[in-house]
Each structure stands twice: as structure tokens, then as C-alpha cells.
């Protein structure tokens, strides 16, 4: 279908979407995750013009593109991700956005026995009940004012202080707990009971430097398995593309590429447990496998030539000379590399056959590794 006159043609953009979805589903199909998985958001920095650009004040990157991600809690492998493009008016309001996101990320994992961990943005009794019917366990922090939670978990009706035992409630066959440590925490779970664990944590106020804490078991599991998305985000930040992106699709492309490299690294380590390899070496292997051998040999030959010229420039004997034609005054190879700082000279080096000023530049060129003049 051809667009009307004066209207933009968006067909190429929409043809890319099935390819991205295919890649994301491939991650889910080729890797067997651990039982524990986690769902969270990733903010990719972008401050340009974009209709679905998000602002989250408590994030390191406050402005950017929000990406929902489902990751393995143990390895950090990114199983599936979706870009948040704004409110979908056609979807209706029968379910909260957080619940829709989680169900979309878990598509195809029904009756898999997985346990998903999430924060209070996604958690709700209705979502946990749906996941329980699908054979997926759920655990996470929850906001006290969520619909369906007991009314007596609020601070006004249930005052707690640090050191008190946690309070447990039953909520539609779900376990809800309120616990006060350094801060008040409300948690919800469809796979835990009212069990507690004794934990020894550091404390500056205690003379021994440690104190014992009675902690709900579901909070302990949440702290252990919630960081899958953060682990993936950390791995993808080590060797990310450093330059500023002017277009939003460049940000998405770089994220997709980093996801492929990080997932490949995690999958490679899981299939080669005896090989001691870090992410940098893995990326070098990927680059070497993509570049033909002839191209690598040619690049190495050029690099060797550069080293030979540098050794010749810094070690051999050099003498200045003047051009025979006084009208021939080329730009100095040392101090004229920056626009606006043009400097012509009639001196040159006989051995290097490069023009350069006899005073200052000749000495810099033959004694310094980085010889070009720096300007403020």
C-alpha cells in the first residue's frame, strides 16, 4: 500500500519489528534458564526527541528508553525484552500495566515450574493468582495500598519497630508479610509459607560489629534472586558503545547487539565450563571469527609498517634541509594538524621526507612518541 502524497512511509520501520521479535524468541529457545528468573526495567540513556522517552528520577540514567527485561537470576542471561512505547489505548484497563508486562515476558513458559521475582511496580495479588494458575511461582515486594491486600498491613494499624518478628497474613491463598528492619518491607509470594531464617548482618552500633536478624524466608529469597536484570545490565555496561547516539534506533541497535554479545558469553561459559575466559577475550574471539583471515593479515602488515616507521623516526639519524624552490612552502606535519592552526615551512627532514619547522617541531617529531602539538 503506497502512502498518500505528503505522508511519510513507515513500512520499512515496521518490517524490522518481526526480525527483532524473532531474535528475542531465539534467546528463550536456545538457553535453558535456572528455575529462578527475574523481571525488571532497564533504562538506556537518550535525551533526544522521542514520543515514548521516559523520565525516572531515581535511576542513574534519568532520561531514556525503557526496556522491560526477563533475565536468569543466577547467570544474568536475558531471556526476553520489550521496549515500552507508551500507553496502549486499545488494550483496555482490565489489567494494570505491570501485570501486562510480566505476562508478555513469560509468554510460552506456562507450567514450566519457574519462579519469577519482581519489585513492587509489577506485584499485585491478581497477577500472582494468574501466574499460580499458569504453574509459575511468584515472589516480590508489594505496595501496601494494592487492591486485594489485607487492610491491617499499613503502618497505622500495624506499628512495628526494628527487631520485631515479621507479621504474616493469608491473602487469596497467597502469603503476605510485613517486616521492619532498617526500613519497612511488604512482600507477597505464591510459593512461600510463614517460615523465617536467622541471618547475621553487620552493625556499627553493636560492639561485636554484627547482629542477628529474624528474616522472612521469602524476603531472603527475594534478595538472593531479584538481581538477574541488574547482573545483565552490569555485564552489558563493561564494553558498551561509548559514543553519543543522535537517533533513538541507534540506542536500540546498540542494546540489541550488546544483548547478543552478553548472552553469547554466558551461553559459551555454560557449555565450556573448563575454559578460563573473560568477556573481553570472548569478544575478541567473536571479532576474529567475523573478520576473514586475509583481512586480519593485511591489517597486521599495516600495523607492522607503522611500527617500522615509528622506530625509524625515533632511532635513526635525521638532518633538516631546505626546499630548493623557495615558493614551495607546505604545511608543517607537526603543528598544522588542527584546522585554524595552519603553519607553512620551507624546511623538511631528508630521511623522513616530511615538512616540519626547523625549530621546535623537528625535535618533537624525532624524540616524542606522540609528537603532534596539543592545543587548548
Amino acid at each position: 500500500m503506497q502512502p498518500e502524497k505528503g505522508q511519510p512511509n513507515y513500512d520499512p520501520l515496521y518490517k524490522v519489528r518481526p526480525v527483532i521479535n524473532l531474535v528475542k524468541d531465539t534467546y528463550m529457545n536456545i538457553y535453558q534458564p535456572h528455575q529462578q528468573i527475574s523481571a525488571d526495567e532497564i533504562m538506556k540513556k537518550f535525551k533526544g526527541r522521542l514520543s515514548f522517552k521516559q523520565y525516572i528520577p531515581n535511576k542513574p540514567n534519568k532520561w531514556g528508553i525503557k526496556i522491560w527485561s526477563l533475565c536468569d537470576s543466577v547467570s544474568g542471561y536475558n531471556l526476553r525484552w520489550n521496549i515500552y512505547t507508551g500507553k496502549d489505548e486499545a488494550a483496555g484497563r482490565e489489567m494494570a500495566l505491570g501485570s501486562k508486562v510480566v505476562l508478555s515476558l513469560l509468554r510460552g513458559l506456562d507450567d514450566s515450574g519457574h519462579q519469577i521475582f519482581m519489585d513492587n511496580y509489577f506485584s499485585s495479588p491478581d497477577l500472582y493468582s494468574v501466574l499460580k494458575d499458569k504453574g509459575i511461582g511468584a515472589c516480590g515486594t508489594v505496595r501496601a495500598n494494592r487492591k486485594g491486600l489485607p487492610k491491617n498491613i499499613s503502618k497505622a494499624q500495624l506499628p512495628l519497630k526494628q527487631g520485631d518478628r515479621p507479621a504474616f497474613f493469608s491473602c487469596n491463598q497467597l502469603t503476605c508479610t510485613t517486616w521492619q528492619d532498617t526500613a519497612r518491607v511488604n512482600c507477597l509470594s505464591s510459593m512461600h509459607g510463614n517460615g523465617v531464617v536467622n541471618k547475621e548482618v553487620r552493625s556499627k552500633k553493636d560492639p561485636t560489629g554484627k547482629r542477628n536478624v529474624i528474616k522472612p524466608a521469602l524476603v531472603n529469597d527475594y534478595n538472593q534472586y531479584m538481581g538477574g536484570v541488574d547482573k545483565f545490565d552490569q555485564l552489558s555496561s563493561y564494553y558498551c558503545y561509548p559514543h553519543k547516539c543522535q537517533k533513538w534506533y541507534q540506542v536500540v541497535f546498540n542494546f540489541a547487539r550488546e544483548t547478543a554479545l552478553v548472552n553469547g558469553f554466558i551461553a559459551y561459559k555454560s557449555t565450556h565450563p573448563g575454559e578460563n575466559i573473560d568477556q573481553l577475550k570472548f569478544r575478541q574471539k567473536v571479532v576474529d571469527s567475523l573478520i576473514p583471515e586475509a583481512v586480519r593479515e593485511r591489517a597486521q602488515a599495516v600495523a607492522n609498517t607503522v611500527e617500522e616507521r615509528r622506530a625509524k623516526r625515533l632511532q635513526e639519524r635525521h638532518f633538516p634541509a631546505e626546499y630548493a624552490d623557495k615558493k614551495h612552502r607546505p604545511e608543517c606535519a607537526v603543528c598544522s594538524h588542527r584546522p585554524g592552526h595552519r603553519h607553512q615551512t620551507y624546511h623538511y627532514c631528508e630521511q623522513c621526507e616530511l615538512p616540519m619547522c626547523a625549530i621546535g617541531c623537528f625535535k618533537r617529531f624525532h624524540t616524542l612518541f606522540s609528537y603532534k602539538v596539543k592545543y587548548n
Side-chain angles (χ1 to χ4, degrees):
M1 179 178 177
Q2 296 295 328
E4 297 180 5
K5 186 176 181 180
Q7 296 295 324
N9 187 0
Y10 291 111
D11 286 346
L13 175 63
Y14 288 101
K15 288 178 181 178
V16 176
R17 290 184 176 179
V19 178
I20 295 178
N21 291 330
L22 178 62
V23 171
K24 292 186 292 185
D25 291 338
T26 302
Y27 295 149
M28 183 78 75
N29 297 332
I30 66 175
Y31 183 81
Q32 179 61 41
H34 295 80
Q35 185 181 21
Q36 295 81 13
I37 54 180
S38 61
D40 206 350
E41 61 195 17
I42 296 175
M43 283 287 287
K44 303 309 294 183
K45 186 177 181 180
F46 183 73
K47 301 183 75 173
R49 294 182 179 180
L50 186 62
S51 61
F52 52 88
K53 180 177 62 179
Q54 299 294 306
Y55 173 72
I56 303 180
N58 60 349
K59 291 285 186 180
N61 297 326
K62 296 177 173 55
W63 292 96
I65 300 174
K66 184 189 291 187
I67 303 175
W68 312 114
S69 294
L70 180 71
C71 295
D72 188 320
S73 296
V74 179
S75 65
Y77 186 94
N78 195 324
L79 298 166
R80 181 175 285 150
W81 53 272
N82 290 323
I83 301 173
Y84 177 58
T85 57
K87 185 186 297 184
D88 188 2
E89 299 291 348
R93 296 188 177 183
E94 61 275 2
M95 186 176 291
L97 174 61
S99 301
K100 295 176 185 176
V101 169
V102 172
L103 293 176
S104 174
L105 293 174
L106 291 174
R107 187 179 67 256
L109 292 179
D110 295 359
D111 299 319
S112 60
H114 283 295
Q115 299 174 356
I116 183 170
F117 295 82
M118 63 193 83
D119 60 20
N120 55 20
Y121 180 83
F122 305 98
S123 294
S124 68
D126 293 339
L127 174 62
Y128 281 33
S129 298
V130 172
L131 294 177
K132 188 175 183 180
D133 295 339
K134 291 179 175 289
I136 302 174
C139 176
T141 56
V142 65
R143 297 172 183 174
N145 59 354
R146 286 289 191 187
K147 182 180 179 181
L149 289 179
K151 300 297 182 182
N152 52 351
I153 68 171
S154 63
K155 291 184 179 180
Q157 299 191 28
L158 184 62
L160 294 174
K161 62 181 184 295
Q162 186 176 4
D164 290 347
R165 292 186 64 88
F168 292 92
F169 304 91
S170 179
C171 174
N172 295 329
Q173 299 182 346
L174 306 174
T175 301
C176 179
T177 183
T178 299
W179 178 54
Q180 178 72 39
D181 190 45
T182 54
R184 192 181 181 96
V185 179
N186 299 312
C187 285
L188 188 67
S189 176
S190 64
M191 54 189 182
H192 292 87
N194 57 354
V196 296
V197 294
N198 291 320
K199 300 287 290 186
E200 190 176 60
V201 299
R202 290 178 295 181
S203 175
K204 294 182 179 179
K205 297 181 180 179
D206 196 285
T208 62
K210 296 181 179 179
R211 63 184 177 91
N212 291 322
V213 175
I214 301 175
K215 193 174 186 179
L218 61 93
V219 176
N220 187 62
D221 287 349
Y222 172 82
N223 292 338
Q224 183 177 358
Y225 297 116
M226 180 55 202
V229 178
D230 292 335
K231 186 177 296 185
F232 164 80
D233 199 20
Q234 182 181 9
L235 289 173
S236 62
S237 67
Y238 290 152
Y239 304 100
C240 60
Y241 185 68
H243 300 293
K244 182 179 179 180
C245 297
Q246 300 291 338
K247 303 295 183 181
W248 68 269
Y249 50 79
Q250 295 173 334
V251 178
V252 176
F253 170 78
N254 291 329
F255 174 79
R257 182 187 57 194
E258 286 298 319
T259 302
L261 288 169
V262 172
N263 283 354
F265 170 66
I266 295 171
Y268 184 87
K269 288 197 68 175
S270 65
T271 55
H272 299 76
E275 184 175 351
N276 185 18
I277 184 172
D278 57 14
Q279 194 176 171
L280 178 59
K281 293 180 180 178
F282 173 78
R283 289 173 181 248
Q284 290 173 344
K285 278 192 170 187
V286 172
V287 172
D288 291 342
S289 65
L290 294 175
I291 299 177
E293 183 68 24
V295 176
R296 294 206 302 271
E297 291 178 355
R298 189 160 58 249
Q300 186 63 41
V302 172
N304 293 337
T305 304
V306 173
E307 291 294 333
E308 292 173 359
R309 289 202 302 264
R310 183 179 293 120
K312 178 182 177 181
R313 173 171 65 87
L314 298 176
Q315 296 174 8
E316 295 186 0
R317 302 177 67 184
H318 301 266
F319 300 95
E322 293 184 1
Y323 290 112
D325 184 4
K326 296 299 182 180
K327 295 183 179 180
H328 180 63
R329 298 186 63 190
E331 295 182 5
C332 176
V334 178
C335 63
S336 295
H337 59 90
R338 182 180 175 185
H341 289 79
R342 183 185 180 197
H343 192 276
Q344 294 176 304
T345 180
Y346 50 83
H347 291 96
Y348 71 100
C349 176
E350 290 181 341
Q351 283 71 27
C352 300
E353 297 182 351
L354 289 175
M356 60 190 71
C357 303
I359 300 176
C361 294
F362 189 89
K363 181 180 179 180
R364 287 183 63 89
F365 184 80
H366 295 104
T367 58
L368 299 180
F369 182 85
S370 300
Y371 61 85
K372 291 188 176 180
V373 178
K374 295 182 180 180
Y375 297 97
N376 295 327

